[in-house]
Amino acid sequence: MEKPAVRAVLEALQPLLGDRLVATQAVREHHGRDTSYHAPALPDAVAFPRTEAEVQEIVRACAAHDVPIVPFGAGSSVEGHTIPTRGGLSVSTREMSAIVEVRPEDQLAVVQPGVTRKQLNTELRATGMMFSVDPGADASLGGIASTRGSGTMSYRYGTMRDNVLGLRAVTADGEVVKTGSRARKSATGYDLTHLFVGAEGTLGVITELTVRLHPVAEAITSASCTFGSVEDAVNSVIELVQYGIPAARVEFLDEVAIAAVNAYSKLDLPVAPTLLFEFHGTEDWAAEQARIAEAICADHGGAGFAWSADADERGRLWAARHDLYFATKAIEPGKELYTGDICVPISRLAESIMAARADIDRSYLTGQVVGHVGDGNYHASYLIRPGNQEDLAEANRLADLMVGRALEMGGTASGEHGLGLGKLKFMRREHGDAAVLAMQAIKRALDPKGLMNPGKLGMAG
Amino acid sequence: MEKPAVRAVLEALQPLLGDRLVATQAVREHHGRDTSYHAPALPDAVAFPRTEAEVQEIVRACAAHDVPIVPFGAGSSVEGHTIPTRGGLSVSTREMSAIVEVRPEDQLAVVQPGVTRKQLNTELRATGMMFSVDPGADASLGGIASTRGSGTMSYRYGTMRDNVLGLRAVTADGEVVKTGSRARKSATGYDLTHLFVGAEGTLGVITELTVRLHPVAEAITSASCTFGSVEDAVNSVIELVQYGIPAARVEFLDEVAIAAVNAYSKLDLPVAPTLLFEFHGTEDWAAEQARIAEAICADHGGAGFAWSADADERGRLWAARHDLYFATKAIEPGKELYTGDICVPISRLAESIMAARADIDRSYLTGQVVGHVGDGNYHASYLIRPGNQEDLAEANRLADLMVGRALEMGGTASGEHGLGLGKLKFMRREHGDAAVLAMQAIKRALDPKGLMNPGKLGMAG
């Protein structure tokens, strides 16, 4: 049974969108879930606009009938961001996947929001430039922006926050807000760009992004090193950071993760707490960074520091890291992965990771800890039986313990996954009442009816 | 004659602040001007709080009587930010100059807003860390944050936007909003930190900042190189940027600026368009960067590329650059410097600078062009007779031409000085109606009575 308001919206938009306005059960179900454990909730229909003007018409029609609008990119959120808990219209950016302009000379690209990170990097191949933000999934840039995502290279190249120069968004009144410029910096006006980055779709639908590109390094060196303890591994990272070595990647994997990677990717890495490094630079400079890292790791008992500038060897190492999601699921086939995500001041990182590891060891769930440790950011993941409430409750308990400690350490409840549905409960604890009230005031100012991705950020109680 | 509302505020605050609440003519005049050409306007009184709690009381008293509140740091704005055009209370952060905490292990410092950049760097001397944001003046960190300032090292280390991890601010309702965390990144909630950074004091009074620190480089190499034309110099910079060399400083000085520096600082640099570089790294890496830059400059006809790792020589070069303000004023003693500031996409930089230079050459005013050109940011400065309306009009005309071209090129009306009073007129042209309306909505949401630095950002028509 269609609700009358939804029917009115569909009738209004049908002439504009034709078969790009879909209310079949299958399509609604596809847009009612993400890759997380969160319970699905179906949109009443899904729109597939191709242009900003169509997004404006969609928003206006929804606003006229008080129907919620839920932006949907690649659907790769792990925190329930795109789940339409209050129904309404999912607005998919799947058909908005054009790369509008690439300007290597200005180190920027202009893209529609549905462009994925891999798509953009494929397009950039001939330019000598790259887009550096690489969350695990092949997420859409609109989605990465909305969740303020990052990935393995943010220590060197910044998170999505640092890599969005400007954007265009359709706000709740159907108007197009243009933010930022093509200049690398600006001191004019409130920073609306960074208000939309991380807003989780609650302030408008992003219709275009201008993102920074970085030159592909002349030489790339990879390295791995194993340690006797988590503490030794993390202390090496802390020293590397303090030394100012601009490593492109510094990834930590605990023993469980290494064992999973070995089994899944046919590697034979020593099963111990491990750091994976990548260094970018000229040939000399990439090699020097590796030598310095080697010396620092050795000071902390790191063993078997192996580095290579060979592209094939590097490819195998990082492919294994990127396949970690599947490798971990293969530990206990049929189970799902529940992924926690926090970020702490780096001086507290070893203590934080060790506590997360100890929690897992005391639990009946299997789990691992991996992280973008140069940033102080890591994930603890737990294998749970699909639909099993006991496992879910235990995973929630472990993840909440980890977040609670992170907040006590002056860290944050999410380094890169966002709050979505699962972590809204930490808003007040992390930000305090006054900041939450300010966020709510901003939400009301830009979306008085609360139609933009309702139930997420900005309406948090 | 005191206004009744002001009298009520002074009476309310007198018991709290005692002699830190001042309404003498001299003190009011000191807080009624900045270092720019803008006409002074006096506050009714000036408060010198020492604590956040005192700032709260001040804001509450002003709010109760609808008296404007104008935050005042070092008074080094060049765009009139701190001029109380509608009177009210100037809130000086002079007595809020404590360095609360330095945590080298987390690469951060927590400071009160009145701490200046030099003060912080002096405090950091023994830690091996530095605060990198270095606008020309010894500005307060609250002021640098409020104007989203940068300086000579932002190409490598980022602007103030990139270096504020979090802050505390007293908003118009007298509450304290806490933003950000001590983690390097976060994906939780609207980015209030970056809403306050660049808000020019119109959303609240910043009472504390958590800023990023960077390791002092092991080796520092400086270099200078002269060119036959502006175009050759800037094209060298473009190539350097595209090569991905992370120069710490890339400064351009035109012939007029070089002549001024020679005369003032007793140097004998060739009088030609000049680039000054600084490279940070290990000894090998700093030297390699200099060699690469030398090769690139040579490709563009750069002559006399001279580099040195000698601290004294480096000190002389950069001291001369930092004294440029005084050197330029010394060209025509008794005159004032009117400084324009824009930022453009780097591919348009040569064209933009050449047009600005040509405008000056056609004008009767003496002027120069210098810039933080790695960012695409530069300043054209004009010498004008104090109080002379004809000179001021001509300087305005030249600066406006430069801004107009920057906006057409996809750039911005200010790279680092902010809009203040002089550039508010460009708000709509740069951001468009919808973005300006969104900014006004945010301003109303957080400061419904419009008491926070009225007449500046957020209330722009």
Side-chain angles (χ1 to χ4, degrees), chain A residues 147 187 260 300:
Chain A
T147 54
H300 295 277

Side-chain angles (χ1 to χ4, degrees), chain A residues 23 27 60 101 117 136 163 173 180 182 300 306 397 405 409:
Chain A
V27 168
R60 282 178 181 140
E101 196 180 350
R117 65 178 182 86
N163 282 283
D173 56 3
R182 291 184 171 207
H300 295 277
R397 187 185 69 83
R405 279 189 303 264
M409 291 175 179

Side-chain angles (χ1 to χ4, degrees), chain B residues 191-415:
Chain B
D191 188 346
L192 296 183
T193 303
H194 294 98
L195 194 59
F196 282 97
V197 170
E200 303 192 357
T202 63
L203 299 181
V205 182
I206 294 174
T207 49
E208 188 179 279
L209 298 122
T210 301
V211 296
R212 280 184 67 168
L213 306 177
H214 299 273
V216 174
E218 181 186 310
I220 298 176
T221 298
S222 280
S224 66
C225 187
T226 57
F227 293 84
S229 69
V230 172
E231 198 166 10
D232 286 340
V234 174
N235 283 335
S236 302
V237 174
I238 294 174
E239 201 176 321
L240 195 87
V241 168
Q242 282 169 358
Y243 200 96
I245 295 297
R249 292 178 155 131
V250 191
E251 295 286 306
F252 168 83
L253 288 82
D254 75 2
E255 292 168 70
V256 176
I258 290 290
V261 161
N262 277 346
Y264 186 83
S265 300
K266 316 275 179 265
L267 296 176
D268 54 358
L269 299 168
V271 179
T274 300
L275 293 177
L276 303 184
F277 297 100
E278 191 167 277
F279 304 103
H280 293 180
T282 58
E283 208 169 307
D284 285 353
W285 172 228
E288 188 183 8
Q289 293 177 71
R291 282 197 305 273
I292 294 169
E294 181 167 15
I296 289 172
C297 289
D299 277 352
H300 295 277
F305 191 98
W307 62 278
S308 165
D310 180 76
D312 286 347
E313 209 165 309
R314 191 173 71 236
R316 275 194 299 280
L317 195 66
W318 290 104
R321 168 64 187 89
H322 274 295
D323 285 339
L324 185 58
Y325 173 82
F326 303 102
T328 309
K329 286 185 75 164
I331 299 175
E332 294 178 2
K335 289 199 178 173
E336 281 180 353
L337 208 57
Y338 176 120
T339 302
D341 162 48
I342 61 152
C343 192
V344 296
I346 196 149
S347 69
R348 310 297 296 274
L349 184 60
E351 176 189 355
S352 177
I353 289 181
M354 285 187 294
R357 184 65 254 172
D359 284 344
I360 297 171
D361 293 340
R362 279 191 295 268
S363 168
Y364 73 90
L365 294 180
T366 299
Q368 69 182 17
V369 181
V370 300
H372 315 310
V373 284
D375 288 329
N377 175 213
Y378 70 89
H379 307 299
S381 302
Y382 321 106
L383 283 159
I384 61 176
R385 288 166 284 185
N388 183 295
Q389 290 309 308
E390 191 193 349
D391 286 6
L392 180 58
E394 175 66 356
N396 272 326
R397 187 184 69 80
L398 296 173
D400 289 359
L401 281 171
M402 181 171 72
V403 170
R405 280 190 302 265
L407 295 180
E408 277 164 27
M409 292 175 178
T412 176
S414 170

Side-chain angles (χ1 to χ4, degrees), chain A residues 43-63:
Chain A
D44 292 296
V46 184
F48 296 90
R50 286 186 179 143
T51 65
E52 181 176 87
E54 286 183 352
V55 174
Q56 288 184 278
E57 288 309 310
I58 290 167
V59 169
R60 282 178 181 140
C62 287

Side-chain angles (χ1 to χ4, degrees), chain A residues 13 30 36 88 107 113 121 123 137 140 145 167 176 198 202 217 233 238 284 309 350 355 372 386 403 452:
Chain A
L13 294 175
H30 176 67
S36 76
Q107 307 196 320
N121 276 316
E123 177 81 14
S140 70
L167 52 81
V176 176
T202 62
I238 295 173
D284 285 352
H372 315 310
V403 170
M452 289 290 175

Side-chain angles (χ1 to χ4, degrees), chain A residues 103 105-106 148 150 182 185-190 202 218 242-243 282 288 347 377 410 412 414 430-431, chain B residues 105-106 148 150 178 182 185-190 202 218 242-243 282 288 347 377 410 412 414 430-431:
Chain A
R103 289 189 63 80
E105 64 276 38
D106 288 318
R148 209 181 291 132
S150 43
R182 291 184 171 207
K185 64 185 190 183
S186 170
T188 67
Y190 298 151
T202 62
E218 182 186 311
Q242 282 170 357
Y243 200 96
T282 60
E288 189 182 8
S347 68
N377 177 212
T412 174
S414 171
E430 177 167 344
H431 296 288
Chain B
E105 62 276 38
D106 289 317
R148 209 181 291 133
S150 41
K178 183 188 79 62
R182 292 185 169 203
K185 64 184 190 186
S186 170
T188 68
Y190 298 151
T202 63
E218 181 186 310
Q242 282 169 358
Y243 200 96
T282 58
E288 188 183 8
S347 69
N377 175 213
T412 176
S414 170
E430 176 166 345
H431 296 288

Side-chain angles (χ1 to χ4, degrees), chain A residues 22-45:
Chain A
V22 186
T24 63
Q25 186 69 11
V27 168
R28 289 169 62 210
E29 279 180 6
H30 176 67
H31 292 81
R33 65 181 75 247
D34 61 8
T35 63
S36 76
Y37 62 90
H38 287 291
L42 302 198
D44 292 296

